[in-house]
Amino acid sequence: DEAVAAVADLIATQEACPKDPERSDGYETQRTVRKVQAGGEAWVILERDIMNGDASPFGSSTMVIRTGSSVLVIRHEGHGGYPDGNGQGQVDAMLKQTSEPIAAMCTFTKAGC
């Protein structure tokens, strides 16, 4: 129950704030939150830094995966965070990099692996 609530709270907070206020350097962060297929429940939070309507090469990607009572958070920042604005490409890369830990998360379910 705690894992379910923690993920729900995190996602609700991120969805409620699709855009951060403009920073002193002129950039603002725009955020997209969407479900992905992984584990028992998975979400990706894609963030791009935008200035005057143009995307920068900087951003971040966070994937949150919950299976049973476990939660795995994967975060990429800077040039590797969300460099080309290809959200599905970023999701695919993150899932490929973490396929083994995701598969092992079944350990934290009532049924086990």
Side-chain angles (χ1 to χ4, degrees):
D1 291 344
E2 289 177 27
V4 171
V7 171
D9 287 348
L10 172 65
I11 297 307
T13 300
Q14 296 299 301
E15 287 179 323
C17 188
K19 184 170 71 170
D20 289 349
E22 187 175 305
R23 300 186 307 252
S24 61
D25 62 3
Y27 284 96
E28 68 181 23
T29 301
Q30 294 182 355
R31 182 175 298 104
T32 302
V33 180
R34 63 183 170 106
K35 270 195 136 172
V36 295
Q37 293 295 110
E41 171 187 19
W43 297 86
V44 66
I45 304 160
L46 301 169
E47 299 172 300
R48 290 295 302 265
D49 288 341
I50 308 292
M51 179 185 267
N52 298 325
D54 295 323
S56 80
F58 299 103
S60 63
S61 303
T62 305
M63 189 171 291
V64 180
I65 301 167
R66 185 195 59 78
T67 301
S69 62
S70 66
V71 178
L72 175 64
V73 178
I74 305 126
R75 185 150 172 98
H76 291 184
E77 291 277 347
H79 289 290
Y82 189 25
D84 61 4
N86 179 351
Q88 189 58 52
Q90 191 70 22
V91 167
D92 293 344
M94 293 173 88
L95 288 173
K96 183 177 179 182
Q97 293 168 357
T98 56
S99 61
E100 288 182 36
I102 292 169
M105 290 172 72
C106 59
T107 304
F108 300 98
T109 63
K110 288 181 181 179
C113 295

